[in-house]
Amino acid sequence: MVKVPVIFLGPFEPEFLSRDDVLKALRGAYPGVDFKPYDVKTIDDALTVLKAESDSSGFLVFNVRVVSQGIVRALLRSGRPILYIARTMEGSPNFLIDVAEAVDDGYPVLGIVTEDVLGKQVLDKVKYLIALDKIRRSRVLLVTARNLINYMNWAFPNATEVSRAIAELQARFGLTFVFMDLRDFIERYYNKVNDKDAEDWAERWIRGASQFLDPSRIDVVKAARLYLAMKDALRDTGANVMAFDCIMNVSTGLIDAWPCLGYMQLWYEDVIPVCEADVYSIIPLLIGKYLFNRPGFVNDPGVDTVNGRFIYWHCYAPTNPHGLDKPEVPYIITDAHGGSKHASIHVKLPVNEPVTVMGFNPITRVLSIHVAKAIDNIYWKQLCATKLVAVGNAKRVAERWVYGNGYHRVLIYGDFREEVKEFARLLGVKVVEEDS
């Protein structure tokens, strides 16, 4: 269960606003969350709470009375993510001085000051702390047989500082990685999948497709075998994120199955799949899932600066782009890359809707973002199978492209620019708007 410590600063007087009122509103809005209350009236109280809740991902602070600056600063400058809610008159002195200064100094603090501290706009922001907790408790299963020579030969999209990025994701963002060698994965899981189970899943996917245009049915069966193997490995490791290093793994010749269809399926099982085991894409994927309930589409982006268009492509995309528990859009099972890759998916993604596109570098802690409008899908067997066309400020994005975030981007449906910018404060990362 997600736990959120709630700190009440100073005396809460029932005639103004009681602790019970606050807790009732919080628990009504988020029934699955454990909101644990603390009264903080001294600096010692503040330090005691911080120590007692050392494993908490963030704190919710209510300030409806003027309190000592020392108390407020002990919390704000602890380095812990804090959502600080203040009432307009009584809370403004601390808010306008202490909160503003902490934000300016780069501490992970998001402040809100309003007369209605239990209004919907305020309560909606508590979801940031819940998402933060889920992100920090995520467990990534990374299956790879990465060969250094192959890795160095692949300039795009895998030329990222993987080792250091993983270290930063663990140290700064709380993620846990479970590493599994491809040979071990094949021996323990892939080779032990029941043939009939793999056939059944392949047939299920083929029946569910609007068209089956791949000349190789056997590759769909291999994809089903890989999916079932990934499920078993996820179960045994307790991971909620699946990163199968497909390009590098297939290049070894040890396995010739692609995870695209399995990745499509895993979204319906509360697992977050990571295309090409791109660790730079993990945080944007987790943001999409745990903050907005939006499956993320990891993609190779293309820009058309003359016509103001983007093309986002890859060999699979989620078939539930709005986060529903059933398919929302049709898909075609097809070969791709001129017939050299099989069991790919062309997804007819929604059009006439805004999309938010994010990139991230765990080392520099820079989150890039731009927003576009999806307008079309292209089916073409060259390059990857799914190609989404969007319109936006492509010229500006090309000029401001954050190349340090790598080539991949993660696309989610909806315009979440402002929410991402606010959440980034609590996450402790810098935001660059590529289209501004």
Side-chain angles (χ1 to χ4, degrees):
M1 175 182 284
V2 173
K3 179 180 67 173
V4 177
V6 184
I7 294 176
F8 296 94
L9 293 180
F12 263 62
E13 300 174 10
E15 61 269 27
F16 293 105
L17 181 70
S18 73
R19 294 165 78 258
D20 290 342
D21 292 335
V22 174
L23 292 171
K24 181 179 179 181
L26 290 171
R27 289 164 179 163
Y30 303 97
V33 176
D34 178 16
F35 292 99
K36 189 173 181 179
Y38 291 94
D39 290 315
V40 171
K41 299 177 183 178
T42 67
I43 293 178
D44 283 343
D45 288 344
L47 297 177
T48 298
V49 172
L50 290 170
K51 183 176 180 180
E53 294 290 348
S54 60
D55 65 336
S56 294
S57 298
F59 294 80
L60 176 58
V61 176
F62 279 90
N63 174 206
V64 298
R65 309 287 289 181
V66 179
V67 295
S68 164
Q69 285 186 296
I71 299 172
V72 175
R73 292 187 179 203
L75 294 169
L76 297 180
R77 294 176 175 274
S78 66
R80 310 293 296 283
I82 290 177
L83 177 60
Y84 192 98
I85 300 172
R87 193 156 61 188
T88 298
M89 289 189 292
E90 302 94 326
S92 282
N94 292 114
F95 186 91
L96 294 176
I97 301 297
D98 304 317
V99 174
E101 187 178 6
V103 170
D104 195 49
D105 287 344
Y107 287 95
V109 176
L110 177 63
I112 308 155
V113 58
T114 177
E115 192 64 22
D116 184 8
V117 296
L118 295 182
K120 184 179 184 303
Q121 285 185 315
V122 175
L123 292 178
D124 279 351
K125 297 189 188 302
V126 177
K127 68 185 180 184
Y128 295 153
L129 293 176
I130 297 169
L132 191 64
D133 188 80
K134 291 180 178 179
I135 288 173
R136 292 191 185 279
R137 298 183 191 279
S138 287
R139 192 172 176 88
V140 182
L141 172 59
L142 198 160
V143 178
T144 185
R146 187 161 289 213
N147 177 288
L148 186 58
I149 294 175
N150 285 345
Y151 174 65
M152 289 187 294
N153 281 332
W154 276 92
F156 300 103
N158 295 303
T160 54
E161 298 181 64
V162 176
S163 297
R164 186 178 169 195
I166 290 173
E168 294 293 332
L169 287 169
Q170 294 180 106
R172 293 186 179 276
F173 301 98
L175 276 63
T176 299
F177 277 79
V178 179
F179 302 104
M180 188 176 295
D181 183 79
L182 176 62
R183 294 167 183 82
D184 187 30
F185 174 80
I186 291 171
E187 180 181 346
R188 292 173 57 191
Y189 298 105
Y190 187 76
N191 286 345
K192 293 183 179 179
V193 171
N194 181 277
D195 290 342
K196 184 178 184 305
D197 290 343
E199 285 281 354
D200 289 347
W201 268 103
E203 188 58 32
R204 177 174 175 177
W205 287 334
I206 291 169
R207 288 200 311 268
S210 61
Q211 292 178 277
F212 180 56
L213 302 179
D214 194 325
S216 176
R217 186 182 184 282
I218 189 61
D219 281 283
V220 179
V221 177
K222 292 176 186 176
R225 179 180 293 277
L226 177 56
Y227 159 67
L228 293 169
M230 290 190 294
K231 278 188 65 173
D232 289 343
L234 287 162
R235 178 201 62 216
D236 289 353
T237 57
N240 62 308
V241 180
M242 182 71 232
F244 185 82
D245 196 2
C246 57
I247 293 178
M248 294 299 166
N249 288 345
V250 172
S251 73
T252 66
L254 297 172
I255 193 169
D256 60 352
W258 295 93
C260 307
L261 282 157
Y263 275 8
M264 174 188 75
Q265 196 65 41
L266 287 175
W267 279 114
Y268 297 102
E269 297 165 16
D270 215 25
V271 173
I272 299 167
V274 185
C275 280
E276 297 169 11
D278 176 22
V279 297
Y280 279 41
S281 293
I282 292 176
I283 290 294
L285 285 166
L286 291 171
I287 291 173
K289 171 64 176 176
Y290 291 133
L291 189 54
F292 306 115
N293 191 33
R294 291 292 195 273
F297 171 33
V298 178
N299 64 82
D300 295 337
V303 293
D304 179 344
T305 60
V306 174
N307 297 300
R309 294 192 174 200
F310 303 93
I311 301 178
Y312 308 103
W313 73 86
H314 237 216
C315 275
Y316 115 95
T319 51
N320 57 335
H322 300 109
L324 299 184
D325 59 4
K326 60 183 180 181
E328 304 170 24
V329 291
Y331 65 92
I332 297 170
I333 298 176
T334 180
D335 52 328
H337 291 278
S340 64
K341 179 180 179 294
H342 296 277
S344 298
I345 316 166
H346 171 75
V347 179
K348 297 288 186 184
L349 290 165
V351 297
N352 299 318
E353 294 186 31
V355 293
T356 299
V357 185
M358 294 176 282
F360 183 65
N361 186 326
I363 302 165
T364 62
R365 285 175 285 158
V366 171
L367 179 73
S368 58
I369 186 172
H370 67 265
V371 174
K373 181 181 179 181
I375 62 167
D376 197 9
N377 291 277
I378 298 172
Y379 177 64
W380 181 43
K381 288 194 176 187
Q382 296 300 322
L383 298 176
C384 294
T386 293
K387 302 175 184 70
L388 178 68
V389 183
V391 292
N393 195 345
K395 185 174 186 295
R396 189 61 172 155
V397 169
E399 292 170 345
R400 287 177 56 83
W401 185 260
V402 183
Y403 50 80
N405 288 3
Y407 183 46
H408 278 157
R409 291 296 186 263
V410 176
L411 179 152
I412 60 174
Y413 270 78
D415 181 351
F416 296 112
R417 184 196 301 269
E418 296 307 316
E419 291 96 325
V420 169
K421 288 162 62 178
E422 287 186 334
F423 183 66
R425 283 198 195 176
L426 294 175
L427 197 59
V429 305
K430 176 185 177 181
V431 175
V432 174
E433 298 178 74
E434 292 175 320
D435 56 348
S436 68

